[in-house]
Amino acid sequence: MISNYKEILTKILQEFDEIEFTGSSSFVDRENVLICQRLFSRSANLIENITTNDSYYYREAERIIQGSKRVGRINKYKIKMLKGHLQALLADIEEGLLTNLEYKITALSFLNFFDHARSYLKQNKKMEASVIASSVFEDTIRKIGKKNGLEFEKLDRLIDELKKSNVISLTEMKKYKYFTGIRNEALHSNWDKFSIEEVKDLVNGTEQIIEKYLES
């Protein structure tokens, strides 16, 4: 995900470089106003997607963009400030400083899915809740594996390797294998092979995994 954003960010910076600043005025030529406005919108949207709308990166970009506008005109210096801000963000990405943030954002997305799963559990809808919980559990384990340089097609093998690499404990490995069993039955529509209480275990357990390994 971050690598894709890096490519888009580099392209936006190249477009900023193509803007021609002519004349002695502090403001860009009127024919460049719409170009700058488009780049401002793209920059803000990209930063929000890379980080969050309450991050320093996003808040500082918004401050620069809002401060650049003067009755339909855009200040040249503010454009250079935003470009410098984007260059700093790109440098942080290249140095790996946003890697953990990627997993934190993923964690928040996963936890939002669990709101739906819990809603289904309250309605005793085992099938619907189990499908959501199973998918999030698998994606969570795969994210943890990727975070630690481990990627295997079979989920059981990945869990084994996480234990061998001392990422998870023996107790956690056994618990994750239990969750994998529920996940397998749910994905094969074997609804009578597990109970709604086991689905609750899967939801609560996966939420704890996310908080421990993806949010930190």
Side-chain angles (χ1 to χ4, degrees), residues 15 32-44 74:
E15 291 184 41
N32 284 320
V33 169
L34 291 179
I35 295 174
C36 291
Q37 186 59 56
R38 179 176 61 82
L39 288 175
F40 284 169
S41 297
R42 290 186 64 199
S43 298
I74 296 177

Side-chain angles (χ1 to χ4, degrees), residues 22 26 52 56 72 84-85 95 101 113 116 143 167 173 184:
T22 59
S26 298
T52 60
Y56 165 76
H85 185 59
E95 291 174 16
L101 183 59
F113 277 112
H116 297 292
K143 276 288 183 184
V167 176
M173 183 192 75
N184 291 342

Side-chain angles (χ1 to χ4, degrees), residues 155-168:
L155 201 57
D156 275 335
R157 171 74 188 282
L158 176 55
I159 293 171
D160 287 337
E161 294 300 325
L162 286 170
K163 170 60 182 67
K164 288 180 182 178
S165 301
N166 295 316
V167 176
I168 63 176

